[in-house]
Amino acid sequence: QVQLVESGGGLVQPAGSLRVDCAASGSIRSINAMGWYRQAPGKQRELVATTSSSGRTNYADSVKGRFTISRDNAENTVHLQMNSLKPEDTAVYYCHAVGTYYLGLIWRDFDTWGQGTQVTVSS
């Protein structure tokens, strides 16, 4: 199986910056897409940013120009640099990945979420 572990959340003042990181581990054969989603209290989980194995990126309109997603394919990591943070960015941020993993001599698809990391933007 594949596990995702996030790190880097915390408390930051409005207009500040923060970076969250995610590392994938396990019997990984390939990772197609990696990305970040977030869920604020009382709201549904929403897409923040995704990146494909080729480096193509996609951002939610609300974070375009402020957040940057990057990925290290060799290390199976994905990062989200968040600048000009706003109170409405406060949420639990979840890492997500889809790909394939080895199961003995065969391989299977995976679609995995991390446990989430809290990001709080407040003065």
Side-chain angles (χ1 to χ4, degrees):
Q1 289 286 357
V2 176
Q3 298 80 37
L4 301 177
V5 177
E6 300 108 332
S7 60
L11 174 65
V12 63
Q13 292 187 341
S17 297
L18 199 64
R19 191 177 100 158
V20 288
D21 304 298
C22 174
S25 63
S27 303
I28 298 169
R29 176 178 177 269
S30 66
I31 300 181
N32 301 329
M34 297 188 82
W36 291 93
Y37 292 71
R38 66 187 182 188
Q39 187 167 18
K43 295 188 177 181
Q44 290 189 330
R45 190 173 298 187
E46 62 177 4
L47 178 146
V48 177
T50 62
T51 178
S52 70
S53 56
S54 63
R56 185 172 57 193
T57 58
N58 180 48
Y59 293 92
D61 288 342
S62 60
V63 307
K64 282 180 181 177
R66 301 188 297 121
F67 290 12
T68 302
I69 189 170
S70 61
R71 176 175 171 175
D72 185 330
N73 290 329
E75 297 292 329
N76 291 325
T77 57
V78 65
H79 315 281
L80 185 69
Q81 177 65 45
M82 303 180 286
N83 299 328
S84 302
L85 282 159
K86 304 175 181 180
E88 51 263 43
D89 295 316
T90 295
V92 177
Y93 283 69
Y94 295 92
C95 181
H96 177 249
V98 293
T100 59
Y101 70 100
Y102 292 107
L103 184 65
L105 298 179
I106 63 173
W107 56 268
R108 296 278 176 86
D109 294 330
F110 74 84
D111 184 330
T112 301
W113 294 87
Q115 81 286 355
T117 185
Q118 178 69 47
V119 172
T120 302
V121 185
S122 175
S123 55

